[in-house]
Amino acid sequence: MKWISDNNVLIVGLGLMGGSYAKALKRLGYKVYAIDRNEESISYAINENIIDDGKSFPDPELISKADAVIFALYPEAFREWIRENQQYFHEGVMITDVTGVKSSIVYDIQDMLREDVEFIPSHPMAGRELSGVKSADDKIFRNANYIVTPTKKNTKEAIEWCKSLGRILGVGKISVLSPEEHDEMIGFVSQLTHCIAVSLMTCSDDENLADYTGDSFRDLTRIARINENMWSELFLMNKDKLIEKMDVFINEFSQLKDMIKNDNRAGLCEKMKLSTKRRAWFDK
């Protein structure tokens, strides 16, 4: 399957990410449908012309129309949805996802999936601290990183199809990683950073912090406004990799603490030089 203008696209899970996919694809001329258990979200999306039609239950007729399906569900809900509803897919449909963990979910879904349907996993590194379809914004994909995580069960055609989805969304960098490589990297660049932000905000119960802080604290804690149900599930499903990254961070933080405690200015300067050098990677 190629991304052509008469494709029917089904979004399953119409929150921030599902709604943002829907907005982008509808703007590009695709016929977009959605399934979400929240009937208010479906009504809002129809009224705002984010989708063409939608249901608050897994409607067989709507599912069977889809040439492509994008899943924006929590991992466990994704697995359960496939188990209960894959019989409604038409032959040859391509499916992908936005799930923030891969190795604990991808293989299970591919193993249970019908042979005439292909699941090619992906993860757009885009989002914001808000949630729900009312916060959807197709601009979040522009110049974002986009990771495709194929397995041995995926065809070259499916991998290219998934990359082309990223391209039409307007992402900046497309990478291909194994599910395990993805989880290793995401444990550091996403999950650890959320852990740090949560820890910063739970360190102090001073309600007047906002009156005293500058941009540095605000920037560091922006992602502390967090969806506890989703992120707790993601942390636990990737806990081995995340704990490894937390241990590395704790060791680095302990080194800084010891340098400050022992008046080791030279050591502090070297750490800061290294930090500045590595942060420059992001400015290229």
Side-chain angles (χ1 to χ4, degrees):
M1 174 196 161
K2 294 182 178 180
W3 281 98
I4 53 179
S5 59
D6 60 353
N7 286 156
N8 294 324
V9 184
L10 174 64
I11 310 290
V12 182
L14 200 60
L16 170 68
M17 292 305 298
S20 297
Y21 266 88
K23 268 191 170 182
L25 293 169
K26 186 78 166 66
R27 175 175 53 79
L28 292 166
Y30 294 91
K31 200 79 169 177
V32 180
Y33 306 102
I35 292 173
D36 190 282
R37 63 184 180 182
N38 188 327
E39 196 163 332
E40 184 181 340
S41 295
I42 294 294
S43 297
Y44 174 85
I46 292 172
N47 291 337
E48 295 295 317
N49 200 33
I50 296 172
I51 60 174
D52 294 285
D53 195 10
K55 300 291 183 182
S56 58
F57 62 94
D59 179 40
E61 183 179 353
L62 207 62
I63 297 168
S64 65
K65 285 182 181 180
D67 302 303
V69 187
I70 298 167
F71 283 89
L73 298 174
Y74 295 179
E76 291 294 352
F78 181 18
R79 184 175 4 228
E80 190 65 23
W81 199 100
I82 291 292
R83 183 180 291 113
E84 294 181 355
N85 301 293
Q86 64 167 305
Q87 69 267 28
Y88 305 125
F89 292 140
H90 74 61
E91 181 181 354
V93 69
M94 288 282 197
I95 69 175
T96 189
D97 67 329
V98 304
T99 314
V101 292
K102 295 303 182 192
S103 56
S104 58
I105 191 77
V106 166
Y107 299 107
D108 286 351
I109 290 177
Q110 288 186 336
D111 286 345
M112 74 171 72
L113 201 59
R114 289 163 31 191
E115 291 187 2
D116 61 348
V117 176
E118 187 163 356
F119 168 44
I120 171 67
S122 60
H123 186 189
M125 298 300 293
R128 53 202 307 193
E129 62 272 21
L130 303 174
S131 61
V133 67
K134 292 182 180 180
S135 301
D137 183 359
D138 59 338
K139 293 190 292 293
I140 64 174
F141 301 114
R142 294 178 187 172
N143 298 316
N145 291 321
Y146 180 83
I147 305 173
V148 182
T149 62
T151 73
K152 292 180 180 178
K153 289 195 172 184
N154 286 120
T155 62
K156 291 180 179 179
E157 291 76 16
I159 296 170
E160 185 52 40
W161 172 84
C162 199
K163 287 180 179 180
S164 67
L165 172 59
R167 284 192 284 269
I168 66 174
L169 291 172
V171 303
K173 171 75 174 180
I174 298 175
S175 302
V176 177
L177 300 175
S178 70
E180 291 77 16
E181 289 170 332
H182 168 276
D183 290 352
E184 175 88 23
M185 185 59 64
I186 225 69
F188 183 67
V189 300
S190 179
Q191 294 179 345
L192 176 62
T193 56
H194 281 78
C195 287
I196 293 168
V198 168
S199 298
L200 277 170
M201 287 310 308
T202 56
C203 276
S204 174
D205 61 359
D206 188 341
E207 294 181 2
N208 299 309
L209 283 177
D211 298 331
Y212 316 136
T213 57
D215 289 343
S216 57
F217 192 84
R218 291 190 186 94
D219 290 346
L220 279 168
T221 58
R222 176 185 61 81
I223 56 175
R225 182 183 291 174
I226 193 168
N227 180 329
E228 71 276 8
N229 294 314
M230 180 181 76
W231 282 97
S232 61
E233 186 170 323
L234 294 175
F235 286 176
L236 293 175
M237 292 186 79
N238 197 36
K239 68 178 183 179
D240 291 343
K241 297 299 183 185
L242 177 55
I243 289 170
E244 286 178 12
K245 304 308 178 186
M246 293 175 83
D247 286 340
V248 170
F249 179 80
I250 290 167
N251 181 60
E252 282 292 316
F253 200 78
S254 295
Q255 288 183 35
L256 279 174
K257 178 184 174 182
D258 289 342
M259 289 173 184
I260 294 168
K261 182 178 180 180
N262 297 317
D263 296 317
N264 183 357
R265 185 169 182 176
L268 285 171
C269 287
E270 287 305 310
K271 281 283 186 189
M272 292 173 184
K273 287 178 183 177
L274 180 59
S275 171
T276 300
K277 178 182 178 181
R278 290 181 176 174
R279 186 58 181 80
W281 297 341
F282 290 79
D283 300 326
K284 293 179 181 177

